[in-house]
């Protein structure tokens, strides 16, 4: 019973988020958040302060990554392409969910 | 290209099956020589300030009124304070514990384990009927260690690796820990402190791997206290969301063995100050 209430609560809490229109703003937040993507640690990004410089700047993303799947894979698990990659395998290691990565990509496509 | 070669050389440790610490050392030193041609070897004892000119000035200004001065005084007091049985820390060490920091860690061929200075201090306490102390939170152990480092300033690290299987295994274990990617973020120590040294992670610049232990314990102004080398190791492991180890564990002792061997020839300059 308790767990039923819990899962109902869960659904209710998640519902408004899932249908929230502004995934781009959320994606930006996930991209910048130190506990989430923290992409700024390594990449220069428009409006980002104190950006790191050991990854390439994230710009002109639509032009450079017309195939969304390739961009997804880079964030999900860059070690697939290069086992020594310095970039963390965010999806594979559970640091970001599929859903979170998709929001990040929606944001990256505005850059 | 050089970077790739080094990477391969380190990541396939079993080419010769037998660990070769001297060869590793030469490779390490020449890697950093090539990477930072303006940094003289002796300067690696200064950690990140050996490669970051802009942060260096601020740090040098800070060192004019060293923030760890009171900690060194307190460490001296604790070092000389008798245990309940009347002995002091000095009774457990060569030269009464003065000017000996550079001889640690060493490999004890009877116990077959690496002995660090903090480990020897705890062994000394236990031998004299006292409880061992924590490596964390900048308490007594960090203070005594800071004082002992202070009395050893200018002496050069000279860690020896006895030619026994156990000693080489301990070294190899530390080296493997340094080069293996781990944790949720999938970093190795070497990712930051060898390959990406000098690049920016947000506002942080990871320092070169050689010279790390020379200035420990370190006074961190952000924390307002001393931090031992093992607490720092644990801090970096936490940051990469990897499993950490206890202060004084075999894992961290072996890691200290490896990194201090890689710092041979550099001067003791602990305690240091960092932000």
């Amino acid at each position: 019973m308790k767990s039923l209430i819990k899962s109902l609560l869960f659904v209710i809490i998640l519902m408004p988020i899932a249908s929230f229109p502004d995934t781009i703003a959320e994606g930006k937040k996930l991209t910048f958040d130190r506990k989430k993507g923290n992409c700024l640690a390594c990449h220069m990004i428009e409006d980002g302060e104190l950006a790191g410089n050991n990854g390439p700047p994230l710009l002109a993303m639509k032009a450079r990554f017309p195939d969304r799947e390739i961009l997804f894979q880079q964030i999900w698990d860059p070690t697939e392409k290069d086992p020594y990659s310095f970039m963390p395998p965010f999806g594979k290691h559970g640091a970001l969910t599929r859903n979170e990565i998709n929001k990040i990509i929606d944001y990256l496509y505005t850059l | 290209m050089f970077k790739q070669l080094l990477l391969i050389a380190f990541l396939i440790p079993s080419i010769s099956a037998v660990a070769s610490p001297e060869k590793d050392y030469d490779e390490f030193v020449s890697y950093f020589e090539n990477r930072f041609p303006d940094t003289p070897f002796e300067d690696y004892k200064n950690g990140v300030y050996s490669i970051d000119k802009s942060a260096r000035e601020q740090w040098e200004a800070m060192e004019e009124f060293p923030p760890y001065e009171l900690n060194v005084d307190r460490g001296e007091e604790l070092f000389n304070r008798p245990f309940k049985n009347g002995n002091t820390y000095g009774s457990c060490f060569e030269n009464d514990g003065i000017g000996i920091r550079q001889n640690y860690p060493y490999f004890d061929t009877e116990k077959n384990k690496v002995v660090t200075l903090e480990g020897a201090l705890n062994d000394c306490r236990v031998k004299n009927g006292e409880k061992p102390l924590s490596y964390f939170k900048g308490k007594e152990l960090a203070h005594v260690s800071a004082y002992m480092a202070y009395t050893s300033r200018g002496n050069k690290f000279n860690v020896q690796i006895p030619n026994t299987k156990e000693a080489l295994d301990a070294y190899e274990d530390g080296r493997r820990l340094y080069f293996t990617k781990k944790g949720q973020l999938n970093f190795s120590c070497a990712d930051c402190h060898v390959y990406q040294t000098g690049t920016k992670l947000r506002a942080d610049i990871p320092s070169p791997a050689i010279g790390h232990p020379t200035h420990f314990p370190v006074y961190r102004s952000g924390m307002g206290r001393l931090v031992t080398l093992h607490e720092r190791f644990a801090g970096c492991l936490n940051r990469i969301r990897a499993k950490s180890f206890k202060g004084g564990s075999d894992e961290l002792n072996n890691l200290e063995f490896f990194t201090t061997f890689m710092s041979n020839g550099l001067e003791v300059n602990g305690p240091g100050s960092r932000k």
Side-chain angles (χ1 to χ4, degrees):
Chain A
M1 186 56 195
K2 220 169 165 184
S3 77
L4 182 67
I5 294 179
K6 241 189 186 161
S7 30
L8 273 176
L9 258 175
F10 203 50
V11 172
I12 292 167
I13 291 171
L14 280 182
M15 254 177 3
I17 297 179
S19 54
F20 193 65
D22 203 358
T23 54
I24 291 176
E26 273 183 66
K28 181 170 182 177
K29 220 165 138 216
L30 289 164
T31 304
F32 283 33
D33 187 341
R34 284 169 201 260
K35 299 230 154 61
K36 286 293 184 176
N38 196 18
C39 316
L40 269 180
C42 303
H43 296 280
M44 247 169 57
I45 306 171
E46 193 181 84
D47 307 337
E49 280 171 23
L50 289 178
N53 63 1
N54 46 65
L58 297 181
L59 41 80
M61 297 305 283
K62 260 224 165 94
R64 296 195 303 123
F65 291 90
D67 184 346
R68 187 174 175 112
E69 195 44 45
I70 291 179
L71 187 49
F72 185 90
Q73 191 52 38
Q74 172 69 31
I75 305 170
W76 182 265
D77 180 16
T79 66
E80 177 126 320
K81 208 181 62 205
D82 169 11
Y84 302 127
S85 175
F86 187 52
M87 178 162 154
F90 288 98
K92 188 177 163 215
H93 279 194
L96 294 172
T97 64
R98 196 169 280 279
N99 197 355
E100 287 171 333
I101 295 177
N102 275 316
K103 287 178 185 163
I104 287 176
I105 293 175
D106 288 343
Y107 164 63
L108 293 182
Y109 273 148
T110 68
L111 297 174
Chain B
M1 179 61 191
F2 187 77
K3 206 165 129 183
Q4 298 293 325
L5 280 177
L6 186 88
L7 194 73
I8 289 164
F10 274 108
L11 285 176
I12 312 179
S14 48
I15 288 180
S16 63
V18 189
S20 172
E22 290 76 21
K23 197 165 143 265
D24 294 346
Y25 176 85
D26 291 344
E27 252 175 291
F28 236 58
V29 172
S30 64
Y31 170 81
F32 285 110
E33 257 171 19
N34 278 294
R35 184 77 183 272
F36 303 108
D38 296 337
T39 300
F41 175 71
E42 318 79 76
D43 208 36
Y44 283 108
K45 68 181 183 202
N46 295 320
V48 72
Y49 307 114
S50 65
I51 56 167
D52 183 2
K53 298 253 153 41
S54 57
R56 185 170 184 131
E57 278 171 35
Q58 235 185 338
W59 170 70
E60 282 176 345
M62 181 160 79
E63 284 277 331
E64 290 190 16
F65 301 96
Y68 46 73
E69 222 160 30
L70 291 174
N71 302 91
V72 173
D73 291 348
R74 174 90 183 123
E76 179 172 12
E77 213 175 286
L78 292 165
F79 179 82
N80 290 317
R81 182 157 77 191
F83 301 129
K84 287 192 234 38
N85 70 4
N87 287 340
T88 59
Y89 284 114
S91 68
C92 296
F93 293 91
E94 192 189 333
N95 198 33
D96 296 324
I98 304 300
I100 59 163
R101 174 66 185 93
Q102 68 284 355
N103 303 330
Y104 290 84
Y106 70 89
F107 192 84
D108 182 328
T109 47
E110 267 154 37
K111 294 186 191 139
N112 273 330
K113 61 184 289 238
V114 168
V115 179
T116 66
L117 180 63
E118 282 88 357
L121 283 166
N122 269 341
D123 289 348
C124 176
R125 293 180 60 85
V126 171
K127 203 175 97 189
N128 285 288
E130 304 281 336
K131 288 207 180 91
L133 299 171
S134 165
Y135 287 62
F136 288 77
K137 302 272 152 73
K139 299 275 173 51
E140 175 162 346
L141 202 55
H143 281 79
V144 174
S145 171
Y147 169 67
M148 291 177 81
Y150 193 72
T151 68
S152 315
R153 281 190 169 184
N155 298 344
K156 286 184 177 162
F157 274 91
N158 183 21
V159 171
Q160 304 290 324
I161 301 177
N163 196 10
T164 66
K165 179 178 181 306
E166 291 80 6
L168 286 168
D169 283 352
Y171 167 86
E172 193 55 33
D173 199 58
R175 190 179 81 131
R176 196 174 312 115
L177 182 51
Y178 210 82
F179 281 93
T180 305
K181 278 181 173 288
K182 57 190 139 315
Q184 190 182 47
L185 298 182
N186 204 44
F187 293 120
S188 69
C189 312
D191 274 341
C192 288
H193 294 291
V194 180
Y195 309 120
Q196 299 294 339
T197 299
T199 67
K200 277 204 182 124
L201 283 165
R202 291 243 186 195
D204 289 329
I205 296 181
S207 50
I210 57 177
H212 265 173
T214 63
H215 47 279
F216 271 84
V218 154
Y219 182 89
R220 293 191 65 187
S221 46
M223 300 169 105
R225 63 172 176 85
L226 294 174
V227 173
T228 63
L229 187 58
H230 286 197
E231 188 175 12
R232 192 49 157 124
F233 286 165
C236 276
L237 282 163
N238 277 332
R239 250 175 77 151
I240 59 186
R241 302 178 197 162
K243 173 172 149 246
S244 194
F245 304 100
K246 291 212 172 86
S249 59
D250 287 340
E251 288 86 355
L252 297 189
N253 286 347
N254 294 343
L255 188 58
E256 179 171 343
F257 194 40
F258 168 73
T259 54
T260 315
F261 187 78
M262 289 298 140
S263 302
N264 268 351
L266 293 171
E267 285 179 1
V268 177
N269 61 338
S273 60
R274 292 290 181 274
K275 63 176 170 139

